[in-house]
Amino acid sequence: PNRVLLGCFVLHYAHRALIFPLLIRAGKPTPFFTFVLALLFCVFNGYLQGRSLTTYAAYPPGWLGDSCFIIGFLGWLIGMAINIHSDHILRNLRKPGETGYKIPRGGMFEYVSGANFFGEILEWFGFALACCTIESLAFALCSLFILGSRARQHHK
């Protein structure tokens, strides 16, 4: 279970750090202070999740068949799929040369204005349920507060 859960975490960040940047078009620059805060959060959280899953989290035999793991893993998987699909919709909102704000349509954007944020929040709450650790719950709550705040700003 520890390897599977650590794999979920690494898969998300491999996509976010390696694949996602190659797909995005030039956009608004990120302020340096925001970049530093995000980097510090990711380094600290990566250490926390990695240390928890490699050293402290001990799962009973059959954990991969437990309903907490299965429901949590499905939440993580669906959240990641929503996140990736929503990012795809956002990347393709404007044709080359177009500027200005456009309202995204399709996918989960038909139900929530911040579908990309919703997907990531679902992903990390699913991960927390699959892990059942205080560290993963802390990460899910941080994601909710940080991304929820951003989603609210985008909605306005």
Side-chain angles (χ1 to χ4, degrees), residues 38-127:
L39 179 67
L40 289 173
F41 175 81
C42 288
V43 167
F44 177 73
N45 184 54
Y47 173 79
L48 194 65
Q49 301 307 317
R51 181 76 174 184
S52 170
L53 289 170
T54 59
T55 307
Y56 300 111
Y59 296 98
W63 180 251
L64 296 179
D66 188 275
S67 59
C68 277
F69 174 82
I70 293 169
I71 294 167
F73 179 77
L74 288 174
W76 174 85
L77 190 62
I78 292 167
M80 187 164 178
I82 291 170
N83 193 5
I84 290 170
H85 184 251
S86 299
D87 285 344
H88 172 77
I89 290 171
L90 290 172
R91 276 194 311 275
N92 293 295
L93 272 178
R94 291 178 208 83
K95 294 178 179 148
E98 275 188 325
T99 59
Y101 184 77
K102 284 193 164 184
I103 296 174
R105 300 280 183 221
M108 285 300 294
F109 284 108
E110 297 301 318
Y111 305 99
V112 293
S113 59
N116 51 329
F117 301 124
F118 170 76
E120 191 150 345
I121 291 166
L122 175 60
E123 188 177 349
W124 296 125
F125 272 94
F127 181 77

Side-chain angles (χ1 to χ4, degrees), residues 1 13 15 19 23 25 39 49 55 60 66 130 139 142 148 152:
Y13 279 101
H15 177 268
I19 297 168
L23 298 174
R25 298 179 189 145
L39 179 67
Q49 301 307 317
T55 307
D66 188 275
F139 179 33
C142 284
R152 187 169 180 246

